[in-house]
Amino acid sequence: MEKFDVCIIGGGPAGYVSALKCAINGLSAAIIEKERFGGTCLNRGCIPTKVLYSKAKYLKRLKEPERGFSVNGFNFNFDEIINYKDEVVSALTGGVEKLLKARKVNILYGAGKIAGKNGTAFRVEINAKDGLNAEISADNVIAATGSVPLMIPSFNIDHKNIITSDEALSLRTIPGSLIIIGAGVIGCEFANIFSEFGSEVRMIELLPSILSTEDKEISKFIQKNFKSRNIDIMTGAEVAGIKALGSNGKTGAEVELKTGERLEAEKVLVSIGRKLNTSGLGLEETGVKLDKRGKIETDAHNETNIKGIYACGDITDGPMLAHKASYDGIIAADNIAGIVKEKDYGVLPWSVYTNPAIGTVGLKEGDAGLSELKYSVGRFSYAASGMALAMEEPEGFLKVIADEKSKKILGATGIGADIPELIAEIASYMHFGGTVFDIESTIHSHPTLSEIVPESALDSIGEAIHKFNPRTAKKDKA
Ligand code: NAI
């Protein structure tokens, strides 16, 4: 039986990054993947949605051309757009496989399962689709098996008319009408895409607002933006059940609300959260502890309660984000190699690709973490940025939160063109414990959207340069 220092189960952003980092750290590594490398992110999530997002933005520009232009007639071929999306996905997933090979990571295709111990090492079985099963042993195992769309029985997901985000990314034609259940991140990203391509979109959300985990002002901004685009939004609405319509000459699907109201559409997309892939890995048999939400409990090194078994990504605590998963993978790989590192999600940026896009890092107004702190909020509008006006992208704003005394940056959130890139800059300051004055003393190239960052930060102390109505907060250089 071949033996490795580390065996990684799952080849998504947590697994493949940890495998590469193990190899970089000089460890022998084997990675087991049952489908294609890249996981949800590359195959059915971040990347394919961004292809469609980018095409939808281009389409918006064609429909609403910039000043001085008129577009007289245009066409799009959605099938060709999906072909392009597939090409991008193949290029990137193939790239991951090449990277693994270049680093001499042993690749095994199949479903991995911890099958017990072989001395001090773990025995890992690989059940391949072609029946060519194998077994290896490893001193350490990293479980990085990710998540799948959550399904509930009464929603009768048939993957044809009642679909998840997986199928929504492979539709070859635009549905005439689309009901989206769940107005979280996935629901809102798809509402933006399909409404731009011409679907009549209706969203049904259980909670009182859409994007309820975002800043309240931003959630309202998107709600208004969606309504202006004729996206119908029902909040505080509970779904009793969904059924496919395949008889009496009807097609599509019907959603029944708890109130008895029935709504029909060509397709119903269910995006109500994700389910963790933790079963069948042999974890329970090995004694690995799960928390009450079914997530694998890990310590600051991403090691579980069983020495030598690590877990990373969606199946562990923290938000289900690709970059958080990769970060987890690096922490595990370093600790296995003896480079002691503790994880810290305090500065974790994230984005939602609506149009305009949303970006956030750290704390935002309304967060429990701010309740004990004295802070001030600076704000700057895209409409006051020369670059945003030149780009004809005046919509949006950035808010920066700073500690009132130390002026340390506690968080930032905003909406507007390329905002995720601005948030990335703020995340760097926060990582190094940066203050408003650190941002001020960093020279920002002109003209760029990045100038919005110092303006927003300085506004928290009343010193934004290009603001007619500055805050009156006193500068208190602690
Ligand atoms: P989510 O948790 O973001 O949103 C689900 C929404 O569905 C919530 O607003 C919830 O109140 C609602 N809901 C739940 N049950 C419902 C029901 N029965 N009827 C109506 N509404 C119901 O989950 P989502 O959108 O599926 O995304 C899953 C994860 O994927 C997120 O946690 C996110 O971290 C990640 N993701 C991140 C992206 C990004 O960073 N850009 C993009 C897409 C996903």
Side-chain angles (χ1 to χ4, degrees):
M1 191 188 317
E2 205 168 352
K3 182 163 181 287
F4 298 88
D5 293 325
V6 193
C7 167
I8 298 110
I9 307 179
Y16 87 74
V17 170
S18 66
L20 291 170
K21 190 64 177 168
C22 283
I24 290 166
N25 287 340
L27 300 166
S28 63
I31 186 165
I32 308 170
E33 168 56 51
K34 67 181 163 81
E35 288 167 28
R36 281 209 296 187
F37 282 102
T40 299
C41 173
L42 289 193
N43 292 289
R44 299 172 297 278
C46 324
I47 297 301
T49 51
K50 272 358 64 65
V51 173
L52 299 191
Y53 170 73
S54 173
K55 300 289 176 197
K57 261 177 90 172
Y58 188 75
L59 179 58
K60 185 171 176 359
R61 275 298 191 205
L62 289 171
K63 290 196 272 184
E64 299 162 28
E66 291 186 15
R67 188 147 156 205
F69 288 82
S70 62
V71 176
N72 295 318
F74 63 87
N75 266 316
F76 68 84
N77 178 340
F78 194 66
D79 196 45
E80 201 40 36
I81 289 171
I82 296 297
N83 288 341
Y84 177 64
K85 184 254 326 172
D86 290 342
E87 279 170 33
V88 171
V89 169
S90 293
L92 293 174
T93 54
V96 170
E97 196 171 319
K98 280 189 205 143
L99 285 169
L100 291 164
K101 284 182 178 157
R103 291 274 179 195
K104 311 239 174 319
V105 174
N106 213 292
I107 296 175
L108 297 153
Y109 280 104
K113 182 184 172 176
I114 302 171
K117 287 207 109 174
N118 186 14
T120 53
F122 296 97
R123 276 194 308 117
V124 182
E125 277 175 11
I126 301 104
N127 295 303
K129 272 188 193 146
D130 58 10
L132 290 175
N133 297 342
E135 198 170 299
I136 59 168
S137 75
D139 290 329
N140 300 279
V141 174
I142 301 177
T145 43
S147 61
V148 289
L150 181 67
M151 310 200 194
I152 45 183
S154 60
F155 283 12
N156 296 310
I157 292 172
D158 62 4
H159 307 282
K160 291 190 184 91
N161 294 325
I162 307 167
I163 59 176
T164 69
S165 53
D166 291 358
E167 295 82 40
L169 284 167
S170 294
L171 295 175
R172 290 271 158 188
T173 51
I174 303 286
S177 55
L178 174 69
I179 293 176
I180 299 178
I181 316 284
V185 187
I186 295 183
C188 286
E189 289 197 356
F190 278 101
N192 174 63
I193 292 167
F194 281 108
S195 87
E196 205 58 66
F197 277 107
S199 294
E200 189 185 295
V201 177
R202 164 171 272 182
M203 307 190 82
I204 302 176
E205 167 58 50
L206 192 61
L207 296 176
S209 64
I210 68 168
L211 286 179
S212 60
T213 53
E214 298 298 323
D215 173 89
K216 299 258 168 310
E217 194 183 350
I218 288 176
S219 156
K220 278 190 194 139
F221 188 111
I222 284 296
Q223 180 136 344
K224 206 165 146 209
N225 168 293
F226 276 7
K227 284 194 169 160
S228 73
R229 294 160 59 190
N230 294 323
I231 297 175
D232 189 61
I233 299 170
M234 297 174 84
T235 51
E238 205 170 336
V239 174
I242 312 172
K243 62 175 188 202
L245 297 170
S247 56
N248 302 329
K250 285 190 168 185
T251 55
E254 182 187 78
V255 176
E256 185 180 352
L257 301 180
K258 281 268 163 76
T259 54
E261 191 179 347
R262 287 164 197 265
L263 309 161
E264 281 180 25
E266 192 180 320
K267 302 269 181 214
V268 174
L269 166 62
V270 178
S271 50
I272 56 168
R274 297 183 63 85
K275 179 176 160 276
L276 313 175
N277 291 329
T278 48
S279 61
L281 297 176
L283 293 173
E284 298 95 297
E285 296 87 330
T286 323
V288 170
K289 262 198 215 153
L290 306 184
D291 70 14
K292 42 185 185 304
R293 294 160 306 154
K295 292 207 164 197
I296 297 176
E297 276 184 19
T298 53
D299 64 12
H301 304 153
N302 280 331
E303 193 168 16
T304 67
N305 60 310
I306 303 293
K307 196 167 165 31
I309 300 186
Y310 291 73
C312 298
D314 289 4
I315 55 175
T316 61
D317 196 24
M320 293 180 164
L321 297 168
H323 46 284
K324 177 265 185 191
S326 299
Y327 170 80
D328 279 352
I330 287 171
I331 294 280
D334 278 350
N335 282 292
I336 292 171
I339 306 161
V340 179
K341 273 189 188 167
E342 297 204 340
K343 66 180 172 186
D344 177 3
Y345 301 139
V347 183
L348 186 61
W350 72 93
S351 329
V352 183
Y353 285 89
T354 43
N355 190 13
I358 300 165
T360 307
V361 61
L363 297 170
K364 55 186 189 312
E365 288 169 284
D367 281 355
L370 279 181
S371 62
E372 303 283 300
L373 300 174
K374 282 198 168 166
Y375 62 90
S376 51
V377 184
R379 183 194 175 94
F380 200 76
S381 293
Y382 271 62
S385 149
M387 190 59 186
L389 292 185
M391 290 162 67
E392 242 183 281
E393 296 272 12
E395 252 198 309
F397 57 85
L398 173 66
K399 294 199 276 190
V400 173
I401 300 186
D403 181 82
E404 207 167 272
K405 192 161 182 348
S406 67
K407 312 301 179 207
K408 207 170 142 179
I409 307 301
L410 302 172
T413 187
I415 184 162
D418 293 339
I419 197 103
E421 316 296 331
L422 306 192
I423 292 293
E425 182 193 338
I426 298 172
S428 299
Y429 289 112
M430 288 179 67
H431 179 75
F432 293 106
T435 65
V436 169
F437 307 116
D438 292 319
I439 299 185
E440 181 185 32
S441 57
T442 304
I443 301 174
H444 287 76
S445 173
H446 177 74
T448 56
L449 292 177
S450 74
E451 292 164 293
I452 295 171
V453 173
E455 293 285 12
S456 312
L458 282 167
D459 188 48
S460 71
I461 55 167
E463 295 193 7
I465 301 286
H466 296 92
K467 193 153 176 178
F468 294 117
N469 53 343
R471 286 174 176 270
T472 50
K474 280 202 290 303
K475 181 149 94 176
D476 176 13
K477 283 196 175 161

